[in-house]
Amino acid sequence: MLHEFAARGSIARTADALGYTPSAVSQQLAVLEREAGTPLLDRTARSAGLTDAGRRLAVHAERIMAMVEEAEADLSAHAAEPSGRVVVTAFPSAAVAFAPALARSLRAHPKLSLLLRQSSPAEGLQLVRSGEVEVAIVDDWTGRLSALLASPPGQTGLDASERAEHGGRGVLSYYHLVRDPLVLVVARGHPAADPDRPVDLRALRNEPWLAAPSGEPSRQAVDRLLAAVGVTPPVPSEFEGLGTVANLVARGLGIAIMPRLAVGAYERRVVVREMPAGLDLGRDVFAVARTASAVRPSVAVIMNALRGAARSMAQRAAATEAHDGHETPAPAEPL
């Protein structure tokens, strides 16, 4: 209960996550405070937060849960065959890109089943942290996670709580899957689709631009990229969901800059152009699992499938760079 409260940040959200009423959660936390012999929550008329003692106890609860999970994983590691259900969550374009590989991985393991859900990266991390899902596919536009994973121990620049979460033996383990660059996407037949013509973003200034809503991470990256080359196009038409943007580009209704993965099912109907040299903005895509559960055979099957798909994507991206302007490859190996 305390672990969930620490993760959710309020009694109401904790109650929603556990299926209890807020009053039941409040009563259980009060019982825990009496057993601990010290205040664990700092209550006000409108909110409640953890005291220092509450935060320390929540850290211990996290460690205990990890130890129990590790014991369960050790027992399941000796199972003859991976079995049970693995729940994976991913942001929408990653769900589309990795779904074929995940579905294919089940063929060799008839006792294994999969539930693939879509969620934002932040929600995915929360779900993994709370143990509600086994694996989350998340993105990072800042480059901070990649730098963290490449840093020698003791040189990460993180505080103690961040090291506990991201460190090699922390609560969560991060596995880099693929670099997803921003690319120019135009309809087939558009002048900018010609592979013999260099991409000139300035020449496209007055094109009908399509984009994600202002404030979304991909949109912020696109705005930074255009600002870097001194391009300030007219206010673009904004659409929720990059799949919608790709669909509109395929219909010849505008052009867009978006992550390569977001082209998704429209790769046969559009032309993807790499950005000019020096404009290598993009995001890194990671699979995240609780460290203790990553060794479970069932989770290992899913992780191996994701890594295999990521290698295929990297190979296809390299081939596309060598043939800029041709059809972008499918985001995963064919079924």
Side-chain angles (χ1 to χ4, degrees), residues 88-240:
V88 179
T89 184
F91 56 93
S93 56
V96 173
F98 286 98
L102 293 175
R104 189 167 54 251
S105 70
L106 301 180
R107 292 177 176 175
H109 305 286
K111 294 183 179 180
L112 187 64
S113 64
L114 169 73
L115 172 59
L116 176 59
R117 300 165 52 182
Q118 293 189 13
S119 69
S120 68
E123 183 184 3
L125 282 177
Q126 180 59 56
L127 291 171
V128 171
R129 191 178 295 115
S130 66
E132 295 174 66
V133 307
E134 280 73 36
V135 180
I137 304 175
V138 303
D139 60 6
D140 172 36
W141 288 93
T142 67
R144 191 164 183 261
L145 281 178
S146 291
L148 165 65
L149 297 177
S151 299
Q155 299 182 24
T156 62
L158 300 179
D159 61 30
S161 63
E162 290 176 310
R163 284 196 302 271
E165 174 154 308
H166 303 304
R169 289 300 298 171
V171 174
L172 302 182
S173 291
Y174 289 73
Y175 305 87
H176 186 265
L177 294 176
V178 69
R179 175 71 173 174
D180 188 21
L182 288 177
V183 293
L184 175 67
V185 185
V186 298
R188 300 173 65 88
H190 189 283
D194 185 352
D196 296 325
R197 296 178 58 175
V199 172
D200 184 356
L201 296 178
R202 293 184 181 87
L204 301 173
R205 183 191 311 269
N206 295 318
E207 291 280 337
W209 285 86
L210 310 174
S214 179
E216 289 196 4
S218 64
R219 171 66 181 278
Q220 292 175 338
V222 170
D223 289 346
R224 290 197 302 271
L225 185 150
L226 292 175
V229 296
V231 175
T232 306
V235 177
S237 298
E238 299 179 339
F239 299 89
E240 188 75 42

Side-chain angles (χ1 to χ4, degrees), residues 55 87 123 129 132 143 183 190 197 257 271 275 299 319 323:
R55 283 190 288 271
V87 183
E123 183 184 3
R129 191 178 295 115
E132 295 174 66
V183 293
H190 189 283
R197 296 178 58 175
I257 294 175
V271 173
M275 288 293 109
V299 177
H323 301 85

